[in-house]
C-alpha cells in the first residue's frame, strides 16, 4: 500500500485526505511516510470538521495538535451531555488558543440535550480565549450552542476581532442576556461586518443607524430570533429606520424567526412594511393567518423562504394560497400541518423558482421530509 500511495503526488493525496473525517485522517497518517506527510500538510487542514462523538476521538487529539497551526476554518461538533465528548471539545478549543493565529472561521454545534442548569462556562471560557487570540477571525457562529450568551462575550469579540465579517448569536436559549449597548459597540468596532444574527431585544434603533454609516462594508444579512420575554417587550424599531438601512444596503436580507412566546400585539410591532424579509419562520401560539396576510402584502418582492408551524384550518389554507399568488420569488415553503390540495397547486403554479417544499395532503409519520423540485 505504501508503494501505491507514493505513486500519487503529495498535493493530490492532500486533496483526497481533506475530505476524510478526523479519525480517518489519523488512520491514513499511519499507512506510510508519504501518506503521513500528505495528511499533515496545510491543504488538508485549511477547512476542518471535527466531531467529538466517540471515545476514540480523544486518542487522536495528540496527533491533531501538530496540525492546529494549519486550521483556518473549523466546525466543531460535540454532545454537552456526554462528558468525554464535551471534554474533548473544550480541550481542543483551549489547545487552539495561540496555536492558530490564522483562524478565520469557528462554528460550534451541540447535538443532543444539555444538562439542566448548565451555563456552559467551560465551553464559553474557551470561546472567550479564542476571541482574544484570533485577531484575524472573520466568522463566528454560535447558533447551535445551547448556552446563554452575554454582553461579556460580545464585547470580547468587538475588542478582539476587528476584522469580523459575520457573527451569529441567535441560538435557542429562552433568556436574552445580550444587551443593545454591547451590540452597538460591536457594530461600531467591526466596520467589515456583513452578517449578524441576534435575539430581537439585542437590536436597537441606534445600532440600525450605525449600520448605515458611509464607511461600512455592504451589509448583507440580519437574522433575528424572537423567542423570549425580552423580545416581546423590545421597543419597536421604526419603519423609517428600516427604510434608511435598506437604502444604504440595497442587497440586505432579513430573516425573522417568531416563536410561541410572542403575543399577537408583539408580532404586529415586529412586522414592519419596510423590512426586507427574505426568510420568515412562524411558530406562533397566537394568530398565524394575520402575519401570512401581512407577508403577502408587504414582502412579495423579497420573500424567498417560508416556514409555518400551526394548526390546520381553512383560514390558514386560504392565507397560504394568497401568499403563493403574490410571492412568486419563493424558493422554499415548509408547512408542518396538513393542507388542502389547492395549497400545493397554488405554490406549484405561481412560484416558478420553487426548489423545495413540505406541503402534506395527508398525515404522515414524523419527521416530514421535503419534496425537492427537479
Amino acid at each position: 500500500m505504501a508503494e501505491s500511495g507514493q505513486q500519487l503526488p503529495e498535493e493530490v493525496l492532500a486533496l483526497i485526505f481533506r475530505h476524510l473525517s478526523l479519525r480517518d485522517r489519523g488512520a491514513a497518517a499511519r499507512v506510510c511516510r508519504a501518506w503521513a506527510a500528505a495528511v499533515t500538510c496545510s491543504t488538508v487542514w485549511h477547512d476542518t470538521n471535527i466531531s467529538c462523538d466517540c471515545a476514540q476521538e480523544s486518542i487522536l487529539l495528540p496527533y491533531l495538535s501538530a496540525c492546529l497551526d494549519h486550521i483556518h476554518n473549523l466546525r466543531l461538533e460535540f454532545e454537552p451531555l456526554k462528558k468525554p465528548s464535551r471534554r474533548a471539545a473544550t480541550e481542543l478549543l483551549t489547545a487552539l488558543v495561540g496555536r492558530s493565529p490564522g483562524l478565520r472561521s469557528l462554528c460550534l454545534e451541540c447535538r443532543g440535550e444539555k444538562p439542566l442548569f448548565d451555563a456552559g462556562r467551560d465551553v464559553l471560557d474557551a470561546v472567550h480565549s479564542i476571541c482574544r487570540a484570533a485577531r484575524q477571525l472573520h466568522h463566528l457562529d454560535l447558533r447551535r450552542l445551547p448556552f446563554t450568551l452575554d454582553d461579556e462575550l460580545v464585547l470580547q469579540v468587538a475588542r478582539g476581532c476587528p476584522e469580523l465579517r459575520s457573527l451569529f448569536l441567535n441560538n435557542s436559549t429562552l433568556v436574552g442576556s445580550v444587551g443593545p449597548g454591547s451590540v452597538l459597540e460591536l457594530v461600531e468596532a467591526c466596520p467589515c461586518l456583513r452578517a449578524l444574527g441576534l435575539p430581537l431585544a439585542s437590536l436597537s434603533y441606534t445600532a440600525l443607524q450605525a449600520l448605515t454609516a458611509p464607511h461600512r462594508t455592504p451589509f448583507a444579512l440580519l437574522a433575528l430570533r424572537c423567542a423570549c420575554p425580552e423580545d416581546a417587550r423590545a421597543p419597536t424599531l421604526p419603519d423609517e429606520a428600516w427604510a434608511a438601512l435598506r437604502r444604504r444596503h440595497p442587497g440586505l436580507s432579513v430573516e425573522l424567526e417568531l416563536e410561541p412566546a410572542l403575543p399577537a400585539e408583539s408580532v404586529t410591532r415586529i412586522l414592519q412594511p419596510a423590512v426586507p424579509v427574505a426568510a420568515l419562520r412562524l411558530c406562533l401560539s397566537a394568530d398565524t393567518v394575520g402575519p401570512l396576510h401581512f407577508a403577502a402584502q408587504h414582502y412579495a418582492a423579497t420573500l424567498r423562504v417560508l416556514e409555518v408551524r400551526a394548526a390546520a384550518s381553512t383560514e390558514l389554507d386560504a392565507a397560504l394560497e394568497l401568499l403563493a399568488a403574490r410571492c412568486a420569488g419563493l424558493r422554499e415553503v415548509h408547512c408542518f400541518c396538513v393542507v388542502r390540495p389547492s395549497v400545493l397547486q397554488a405554490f406549484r403554479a405561481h412560484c416558478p423558482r420553487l426548489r423545495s417544499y413540505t406541503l402534506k395532503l395527508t398525515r404522515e409519520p414524523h419527521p416530514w421530509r421535503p419534496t425537492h423540485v427537479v
Side-chain angles (χ1 to χ4, degrees), residues 4-318:
S4 62
Q6 291 171 355
Q7 293 175 2
L8 291 175
E10 181 177 303
E11 56 269 23
V12 175
L13 288 172
L15 291 174
I16 296 172
F17 293 156
R18 68 184 298 181
H19 298 289
L20 298 181
S21 67
L22 179 61
R23 187 186 307 111
D24 291 338
R25 291 179 189 182
R30 294 189 290 269
V31 170
C32 63
R33 291 181 180 178
W35 282 33
V39 83
T40 55
C41 76
S42 60
T43 302
V44 175
W45 295 92
H46 188 279
D47 301 305
T48 296
N49 296 331
I50 297 177
S51 178
C52 301
D53 60 358
C54 67
Q56 294 181 16
E57 209 79 42
S58 60
I59 299 174
L60 297 173
L61 289 179
Y63 156 74
L64 169 63
S65 65
C67 304
L68 290 180
D69 294 337
H70 302 318
I71 295 179
H72 282 196
N73 305 307
L74 174 62
R75 179 175 171 271
L76 178 62
E77 292 183 4
F78 67 98
E79 297 187 53
L81 200 58
K82 296 184 177 180
K83 290 183 178 180
S85 175
R86 182 167 178 157
R87 182 168 55 250
T90 52
E91 288 177 356
L92 175 59
L93 290 172
T94 302
L96 197 61
V97 176
R99 288 291 312 278
S100 187
L103 186 68
R104 297 290 192 275
S105 174
L106 176 62
C107 175
L108 299 183
E109 294 198 13
C110 288
R111 296 185 301 180
E113 299 294 327
K114 76 178 182 72
L116 292 175
F117 311 111
D118 181 5
R121 286 318 316 173
D122 52 342
V123 177
L124 294 177
D125 286 346
V127 174
H128 274 262
S129 299
I130 286 179
C131 292
R132 281 194 294 269
R135 299 283 297 177
Q136 301 300 314
L137 190 68
H138 288 175
H139 307 285
L140 180 59
D141 189 345
L142 305 179
R143 281 175 287 190
R144 301 292 182 266
L145 207 60
F147 308 119
T148 299
L149 309 175
D150 56 19
D151 288 330
E152 184 182 358
L153 175 61
V154 177
L155 293 175
Q156 181 59 67
V157 174
R159 296 162 187 172
C161 309
E163 301 299 320
L164 197 70
R165 305 307 199 259
S166 69
L167 174 65
F168 292 98
L169 305 173
N170 47 325
N171 62 1
S172 59
T173 55
L174 297 179
V175 178
S177 297
V178 175
S182 61
V183 172
L184 176 61
E185 182 169 332
L186 173 83
V187 169
E188 293 176 337
C190 303
C192 297
L193 193 67
R194 294 178 50 85
L196 183 60
L198 294 170
L200 177 66
S202 303
L203 186 64
S204 64
Y205 173 60
T206 311
L208 288 182
Q209 287 182 310
L211 286 170
T212 64
H215 67 282
R216 298 193 65 86
T217 296
F219 192 68
L221 175 63
L222 182 59
L224 298 175
R225 188 171 188 269
C226 315
C228 64
E230 291 84 356
D231 297 323
R233 297 190 295 266
T236 301
L237 296 172
D239 209 40
E240 311 81 64
W242 288 110
L245 184 63
R246 194 172 180 179
R247 286 193 299 270
R248 173 64 181 85
H249 304 288
L252 173 66
S253 295
V254 174
E255 297 181 357
L256 285 179
E257 183 178 355
L258 308 184
E259 293 289 327
L262 292 179
E265 59 271 18
S266 296
V267 175
T268 302
R269 289 190 294 104
I270 292 167
L271 296 177
Q272 297 288 326
V275 182
V277 175
L280 181 61
R281 297 178 174 88
L282 301 174
C283 182
L284 300 170
S285 56
D287 173 48
T288 301
V289 173
L292 286 175
H293 283 159
F294 189 94
Q297 181 178 358
H298 296 288
Y299 304 147
T302 60
L303 193 62
R304 300 292 178 265
V305 178
L306 175 68
E307 183 177 308
V308 176
R309 296 177 184 271
S313 69
T314 55
E315 293 80 9
L316 179 65
D317 287 340

Side-chain angles (χ1 to χ4, degrees), residues 332-337 339 356-360 368-371:
E332 296 182 33
V333 56
H334 305 286
C335 186
F336 293 94
C337 65
V339 299
S356 175
Y357 62 84
T358 307
L359 297 165
K360 303 297 183 181
W368 286 5
R369 303 295 183 187
T371 299

